[in-house]
Amino acid sequence: MKILFAASEAVPYVKTGGLGDVAYALPCELAGRNDMEVCVILPYYKSIKDNRDSNIEYVMHFDMPLAWRNTYVGIFKARNEEKNIIYYFIDNDYYFGDRGSIYGEYDDGERFTFFSKAILECIQHIGFYPDIIHCNDWQTALVPLYYRAFFEHHDGYQNIKTMFTIHNIEYQGKVPNEFLSEVIGVSEYWRDAVSYDGCINFMKSAVLLADKVTTVSETYSHEIRHAYFAHGLESVLRQNEYKLVGITNGIDPEIYNPVTDKCLYTNFGCGELKKKYENKRYLQQKLELPVRDDTPVIGMITRLVSHKGLDLVKFIGEEMLSRDLQFVVVGTGDREFEDFFKWLAYTHGDKIAVRIAFDPVLANQIYAGADLFLMPSKSEPCGLSQLIAMRYGTIPIVRETGGLVDTVPAYNPETGEGRGFTFKSYNAHDMLGAIDHACHLYHDLPQRKKLIKNIMNYDSSWKQSADRYLDVYYHM
Ligand code: GLC
């Protein structure tokens, strides 16, 4: 089977969030299976071009109409022999090669419309006719529309099926109504399919027109049928629930491996708790916190935005720091939360260390050195940080939402089963209750060891999830 995996970011070339990890690890796992041919297609961003990766070679170029424009489309490619994957890059300096940022440009709608159409055009030029085009998030959400409008009767294209995966429903790709004729360039016949709530909505069209729609966890696939989670799309998802499936993400066990991770002070595996605590001491030293074995360190690595649960942390921040614990935060985001944490660090420097930065090395040192990992998200499609934390023996404290429900069942000290501490309502004192519970159990060494064993033995690799994707692909 042939899969064309289309995304706006993928490790190792470009990553701003969890999508980048998934768009690396899932294709790798699939390409390792029998009879699978997998290609990944990405925009050729400035950051990739500037890197001058000698493995990336020019393939060809052609002109493509985009409404009234005639646009240049270049194709570059790189081969990852070891993983059996070909990466294709869509080149256009105006849209990608000369832009400083990946997202957040004034014309993102147009940039990714161009990308989505180019994905389909490019198939005939590279001669890779996939069975499935697997699209991800709003940036590739126009692929099913373009397929239906222009390509489904083309030679070689007739049997292609489209899958659309929602990694985050908050970002839907909304643009003004004129966009249909001005930029997308499809006829009025398609207006109903792409219009929603007074504007053009890319994601809505994908939910409607893709053959299959998936989300990145089972629980999230149910949550987004309800208004609290769906950012307005609940009725569209309910109408299309017959083709909606939830498949929980995994993580790449080679990339996130405490046994080999070069960022750590010292490597460790399951059952080597002493070494984990060497990482804890190193972390405390590095962040200028009192070096103490007998106090739990709670880590938080996150974008500092409200839906990651930062409102709750802000509400009980001081109260939490009145406990005997240490708190370590790294991330960037909204000014409100950055300022709050800076202030907490200024007033409670012996309890909390804050780094307003995107710092992957420090992040891994926190995964390894912390005892507990806080993730109180308001909603969480899947979440990868809790999976990484578990691999590094750091016990998650999570709110029961989305993928956090599916990956972190509450620990039951009676039976010794479970993988963390959870709370249900989006309520600051419920969260504090879970933190207190976790700190209490931290001081019970046999229980702590049992729980750490559970999480470090948990299989969060892509194997099972890729099996499920394969089932769905074959079914399609
Ligand atoms: C988005 C979601 C996150 C998910 C990731 C990968 O970033 O917010 O929950 O894990 O995509 O699917």
Side-chain angles (χ1 to χ4, degrees):
M1 191 183 342
K2 294 181 178 169
I3 310 291
L4 181 59
F5 197 91
S8 56
E9 54 182 89
V11 169
Y13 298 104
V14 47
K15 169 180 164 176
T16 70
L19 171 62
D21 286 309
V22 173
Y24 169 72
L26 173 58
C28 284
E29 179 68 32
L30 293 168
R33 305 297 177 93
N34 283 342
D35 300 325
M36 293 295 292
E37 279 181 59
V38 183
C39 294
V40 177
I41 190 159
L42 298 165
Y44 202 17
Y45 296 111
K46 181 170 174 15
S47 58
I48 309 179
K49 269 189 147 167
D50 286 354
N51 240 337
R52 296 188 186 279
D53 179 339
S54 56
N55 287 323
I56 300 182
E57 61 188 62
Y58 168 80
V59 180
M60 53 106 52
H61 69 270
F62 56 88
D63 283 343
M64 176 180 84
L66 192 66
W68 51 265
R69 299 159 193 75
N70 210 19
T71 54
Y72 161 92
V73 181
I75 306 177
F76 284 71
K77 90 173 182 189
R79 207 181 277 275
N80 181 336
E81 297 286 355
E82 190 201 331
K83 300 287 183 187
N84 186 31
I85 296 185
I86 297 181
Y87 290 87
Y88 285 102
F89 302 91
I90 298 291
D91 181 37
N92 180 300
D93 279 347
Y94 174 70
Y95 288 125
F96 300 116
D98 282 342
R99 302 295 182 101
S101 18
I102 311 284
Y103 312 127
E105 300 276 312
Y106 72 97
D107 58 349
D108 278 2
E110 184 176 329
R111 295 169 69 220
F112 291 102
T113 298
F114 163 81
F115 178 52
S116 298
K117 191 170 186 201
I119 291 166
L120 283 155
E121 282 286 353
C122 151
I123 287 172
Q124 57 198 314
H125 298 285
I126 58 179
F128 181 79
Y129 291 93
D131 297 294
I132 314 270
I133 307 178
H134 186 159
C135 310
N136 295 277
D137 273 353
W138 76 268
Q139 295 90 345
T140 51
L142 288 182
V143 169
L145 170 74
Y146 274 128
Y147 178 70
R148 298 282 293 276
F150 295 135
F151 295 91
E152 68 177 344
H153 301 299
H154 266 211
D155 276 356
Y157 282 74
Q158 289 100 334
N159 295 322
I160 297 177
K161 302 282 178 205
T162 53
M163 177 191 266
F164 180 66
T165 297
I166 302 173
H167 295 261
N168 193 341
I169 205 165
E170 196 175 342
Y171 309 104
Q172 299 173 0
K174 293 183 184 174
V175 292
N177 287 322
E178 303 77 65
F179 213 81
L180 191 79
S181 56
E182 279 292 306
V183 181
I184 303 178
V186 294
S187 72
E188 281 301 310
Y189 173 83
W190 296 102
R191 186 171 291 281
D192 279 353
V194 266
S195 298
Y196 193 66
D197 220 3
C199 64
I200 302 284
N201 185 316
F202 294 7
M203 191 177 271
K204 183 250 177 170
S205 79
V207 172
L208 205 70
L209 301 172
D211 296 297
K212 203 84 194 171
V213 177
T214 74
T215 67
V216 289
S217 70
E218 182 78 38
T219 299
Y220 192 62
S221 79
H222 293 282
E223 286 174 343
I224 54 173
R225 296 168 212 198
H226 302 281
Y228 183 83
F229 295 96
H231 293 268
L233 283 186
E234 61 277 6
S235 60
V236 182
L237 283 149
R238 255 183 267 141
Q239 277 154 19
N240 290 279
E241 61 189 355
Y242 70 94
K243 58 177 168 183
L244 181 59
V245 184
I247 303 176
T248 305
N249 287 332
I251 51 173
D252 188 312
E254 286 171 33
I255 295 185
Y256 298 108
N257 187 353
V259 179
T260 53
D261 188 335
K262 293 202 171 57
C263 304
L264 305 195
Y265 173 71
T266 174
N267 292 111
F268 62 101
C270 193
E272 295 184 300
L273 269 189
K274 282 206 176 95
K275 288 195 183 163
K276 178 167 170 68
Y277 295 132
E278 286 174 29
N279 285 289
K280 174 172 172 176
R281 270 172 237 134
Y282 171 80
L283 182 69
Q284 288 169 322
Q285 238 160 28
K286 175 169 175 168
L287 298 178
E288 292 166 14
L289 288 166
V291 177
R292 285 179 53 191
D293 289 342
D294 61 342
T295 188
V297 172
I298 304 179
M300 214 176 168
I301 301 165
T302 179
R303 271 187 298 127
L304 300 173
V305 293
S306 159
H307 81 260
K308 291 288 180 186
L310 270 302
D311 300 317
L312 304 189
V313 179
K314 189 173 171 193
F315 198 75
I316 50 87
E318 279 203 277
E319 199 176 340
M320 177 178 67
L321 294 184
S322 69
R323 303 338 199 217
D324 183 21
L325 54 78
Q326 294 179 351
F327 200 67
V328 170
V329 185
V330 57
T332 58
D334 292 349
R335 183 74 190 271
E336 175 193 355
F337 300 116
E338 292 189 354
D339 287 350
F340 167 71
F341 280 120
K342 282 185 202 158
W343 171 78
L344 261 194
Y346 181 69
T347 52
H348 299 72
D350 58 334
K351 289 281 185 72
I352 178 169
V354 176
R355 295 292 179 273
I356 304 296
F358 178 75
D359 186 340
V361 173
L362 178 60
N364 285 22
Q365 292 169 344
I366 295 174
Y367 284 126
D371 297 293
L372 300 161
F373 190 84
L374 181 61
M375 222 168 147
S377 308
K378 191 183 271 175
S379 74
E380 194 60 72
C382 177
L384 301 176
S385 306
Q386 82 279 15
L387 299 176
I388 304 169
M390 287 196 277
R391 236 175 111 61
Y392 286 71
T394 299
I395 302 161
I397 304 171
V398 304
R399 190 172 97 79
E400 293 172 28
T401 184
L404 299 174
V405 175
D406 300 334
T407 56
V408 187
Y411 183 66
N412 179 344
E414 300 289 318
T415 62
E417 283 167 20
R419 289 191 282 276
F421 299 89
T422 72
F423 62 102
K424 218 179 188 79
S425 314
Y426 193 67
N427 174 297
H429 281 93
D430 284 5
M431 178 182 80
L432 190 56
I435 293 174
D436 283 341
H437 189 187
C439 291
H440 180 73
L441 191 129
Y442 165 85
H443 292 290
D444 182 334
L445 192 60
Q447 291 281 9
R448 191 204 312 170
K449 281 186 169 163
K450 174 78 186 89
L451 184 42
I452 294 179
K453 196 167 160 210
N454 289 1
I455 59 179
M456 289 189 81
N457 283 330
Y458 174 58
D459 180 3
S460 54
S461 73
W462 269 100
K463 200 186 157 308
Q464 286 172 41
S465 316
D467 285 346
R468 292 209 54 209
Y469 274 106
L470 278 175
D471 281 349
V472 179
Y473 290 153
Y474 277 111
H475 192 249
M476 287 164 75

